[in-house]
Amino acid sequence: MSRWLWQLRARLGYWLARRLFHWPAALQQPRLWQWMQGQYGRMANLGDTKAQSFYGHILLFRGQGLGAREEGLRLLRLAANGGDGKAAYQLGVQALQGDTRQAPDAPQALRWWEMAVAAGHPLAASRVSQLYREGAPGLEPDQHMAERYAALAGGTIHSGH
């Protein structure tokens, strides 16, 4: 099959799977859900940033097992590095929470949230402001930076973003 036809098929399958995602009855059918995940994964593997973000979130929150979680985080990193603010925001949340294998990492959370702010994520500036205001292990409080990001958060909220 030609590459063009393969990509067209992947895009059409992804489009259909995204539409089916909003139907609860479709999500309750194991074979259909498995097919839908295949479409999300194929589109994400083709390098589509929005698909990487979408499927990364699904694997992180609905995936089963550590492997699904790790793949979700990998896809979110790809999407965040591709400019997706939602993915960058979620990576900041995960970095600050830590898990059984990694301690909370405030400087890393800060980096992800600053990336999310640059991408226009509506909550990221307030989280950065809070982190600078309160400080965290590895990050000293900085009231000047807290006020700067609080002003950004206020501007984002008032501008309707």
Side-chain angles (χ1 to χ4, degrees), residues 3 10 127 146 151 158:
R3 181 165 173 78
R127 291 297 297 261
H158 290 90

Side-chain angles (χ1 to χ4, degrees), residues 5 12 17 26 39-40 42-43 56 107-108 111 121 124 135 146:
L5 192 55
L12 289 173
Q39 303 310 302
Y40 304 145
R42 179 168 39 172
M43 199 65 188
Q108 183 177 3
R111 283 190 299 276
H121 192 279

Side-chain angles (χ1 to χ4, degrees), residues 97-125:
Q97 285 177 348
D99 59 27
T100 58
R101 299 180 318 139
Q102 183 174 336
D105 189 344
Q108 183 177 3
L110 181 63
R111 283 190 299 276
W112 287 120
W113 283 337
E114 286 176 336
M115 190 181 289
V117 168
H121 192 279
L123 299 176

Side-chain angles (χ1 to χ4, degrees), residues 94-154:
Q94 296 300 313
L96 195 59
Q97 285 177 348
D99 59 27
T100 58
R101 299 180 318 139
Q102 183 174 336
D105 189 344
Q108 183 177 3
L110 181 63
R111 283 190 299 276
W112 287 120
W113 283 337
E114 286 176 336
M115 190 181 289
V117 168
H121 192 279
L123 299 176
S126 62
R127 291 297 297 261
V128 172
S129 174
Q130 179 183 5
L131 194 56
Y132 272 126
R133 189 177 313 109
E134 297 171 2
L139 183 69
E140 293 296 318
D142 184 335
Q143 293 306 313
H144 175 71
M145 292 300 285
E147 291 171 12
R148 178 175 168 226
Y149 278 98
L152 279 174

